[in-house]
Amino acid sequence: MKAMRIGTRGSVLAMWQARSIARALREITGVEPEIVIIKTSGDKFQQTSFSQIGTKGVFIKELEDALLEDRIDLAVHSMKDVPTELPAGLTIAAVGKREDARDALLSLSGTKLASLPPGARVGTSSLRRQSQLLYVRRDLRILELRGNVDTRIEKLKRGDYDAIVLAKAGLDRLGLSENISEVLPHEVSLPAAGQGAIGMEARQADAGTLRALMALEDAESRSGVTAERSALAGLGGGCQVPIGAWGRVENGKLLLDVAVLSPDGTQRMWEKDSGSPQDAEGIGKRVARKLRDSGATGLLERESRGTRA
């Protein structure tokens, strides 16, 4: 079998993810995969606000172009970065076992969210995190935070922020969990759809790659992520309104919670549903419908900016 070409961004976290998939594929195929680093729009404009460049596909478009042009055989993504609509001819061939999907607060003094001083400066590039933080702490001053994980932590350490919020899974993978002051509970901060899960995208016509990747599929993780992405799509996943979603399998049942908020944190709508893991897409659609029926549509239309939060 020929060596598979794995496309990835060049960040430390993206490389960690790509190498973990490469190791797994080497064990399956006996062939050492080739890692191909591709710079994405999100990497090229590190100092530019997402409100200016948008977030839809910003970290994966160039990887998908490489797939479609047969320059790589698969692309490794953080599933939270993957838009709900994929280009024709491509598919998420496998979703690996999901890590902890929660958000984590990091502060220099180890202070928890509730104990941050009034007007504390909190860094995040996520509108979803911003709105959820403001929902529980209206006094916080939310500041833009860009850069790789290690860069963001350095900005915190030099005093640019009083605290920052990052995905716990990324910190765990990079061995940086000792920096965590508090893991935020889901009732405070629902994760982004797909957060903590690694997805492997490939060409639908590439039977050999699809077959190899099947061995890396985790059924429970796929069900949770599918339900989250289905809800996101049902709510109009191409909008800037903050949407948090958490799907997980417990005792054989798939549970899904979804929240829609206003960017300023003054409004929050929350719905949930459950059922068979095999009905993940249907569960996501039902939750989206409940939210629309309860008034989320008006919030989505009013706040939409044309990019995904």
Side-chain angles (χ1 to χ4, degrees):
M1 181 178 183
K2 69 169 186 172
M4 278 187 275
R5 300 162 296 172
I6 301 176
T8 179
R9 296 169 57 207
S11 72
V12 175
L13 181 55
M15 289 297 294
W16 185 98
Q17 294 175 164
R19 287 174 181 140
S20 71
I21 300 304
R23 284 194 299 271
L25 286 172
R26 183 178 62 241
E27 293 175 3
I28 294 168
T29 66
V31 178
E32 183 70 40
E34 175 190 356
I35 293 180
V36 180
I37 298 175
I38 296 173
K39 200 161 192 176
T40 69
S41 299
D43 300 311
K44 295 172 185 174
F45 302 103
Q46 284 285 337
Q47 304 307 314
T48 305
S49 169
F50 281 133
S51 63
Q52 294 176 273
I53 63 174
T55 58
K56 188 173 183 180
V58 70
F59 289 118
I60 74 165
K61 182 184 182 302
E62 287 82 357
L63 287 163
E64 290 181 328
D65 289 344
L67 270 174
L68 292 169
E69 294 164 8
D70 198 20
R71 290 186 279 122
I72 58 175
D73 300 305
L74 67 139
V76 177
H77 307 301
S78 292
M79 281 302 297
K80 68 180 179 61
D81 294 331
V82 181
T84 53
E85 293 183 17
L86 301 180
L90 300 183
T91 184
I92 300 299
V95 175
K97 185 170 178 58
R98 193 177 202 172
E99 300 291 338
D100 194 327
R102 293 175 293 177
D103 285 328
L105 180 82
L106 289 68
S107 66
L108 281 180
S109 58
T111 305
K112 294 186 177 181
L113 178 62
S115 301
L116 288 174
R121 301 163 302 157
V122 181
T124 176
S125 60
S126 164
L127 194 56
R128 171 191 60 82
R129 288 176 180 144
Q130 168 187 305
S131 63
Q132 294 189 104
L133 290 169
L134 290 174
Y135 184 77
V136 296
R137 285 285 308 268
R138 197 66 48 80
D139 63 290
L140 295 176
R141 184 182 169 201
I142 307 298
L143 302 177
E144 183 81 12
L145 175 65
R146 293 291 311 278
N148 298 326
V149 173
D150 49 353
T151 302
R152 297 185 188 197
I153 293 176
E154 281 304 311
K155 290 180 179 180
L156 170 67
K157 290 182 176 179
R158 75 186 185 203
D160 293 358
Y161 307 90
D162 297 305
I164 62 176
V165 180
L166 301 173
K168 184 176 184 294
L171 295 166
D172 290 344
R173 287 166 178 154
L174 296 178
L176 297 171
S177 302
E178 71 276 4
N179 293 283
I180 295 174
S181 303
E182 178 185 11
V183 178
L184 298 176
H186 290 103
E187 54 268 24
V188 170
S189 186
L190 273 183
Q195 185 165 308
I198 297 175
M200 289 142 268
E201 189 174 19
R203 291 181 292 277
Q204 290 176 329
D206 187 353
T209 297
L210 296 180
R211 189 164 49 249
L213 291 176
M214 281 178 60
L216 305 185
E217 171 84 348
D218 183 80
E220 290 191 358
S221 298
R222 167 77 76 163
S223 295
V225 170
T226 297
E228 294 165 1
R229 288 168 58 79
S230 174
L232 190 65
L235 289 165
C239 68
Q240 176 123 350
V241 172
I243 300 173
W246 181 38
R248 69 278 186 199
V249 176
E250 296 180 2
N251 300 317
K253 180 181 286 189
L254 176 59
L255 311 176
L256 176 66
D257 288 80
V258 179
V260 176
L261 299 95
S262 59
D264 62 4
T266 58
Q267 298 179 70
R268 184 178 79 171
M269 299 176 185
W270 189 303
E271 291 290 349
K272 60 179 62 180
D273 206 328
S274 62
S276 166
Q278 285 69 45
D279 187 32
E281 191 167 338
I283 292 170
K285 289 180 179 178
R286 289 200 299 273
V287 171
R289 185 166 57 249
K290 288 181 183 179
L291 282 163
R292 292 197 306 270
D293 291 345
S294 65
T297 300
L299 182 60
L300 292 165
E301 290 176 348
R302 186 168 68 253
E303 301 294 348
S304 177
R305 297 292 185 275
T307 55
R308 182 183 144 214

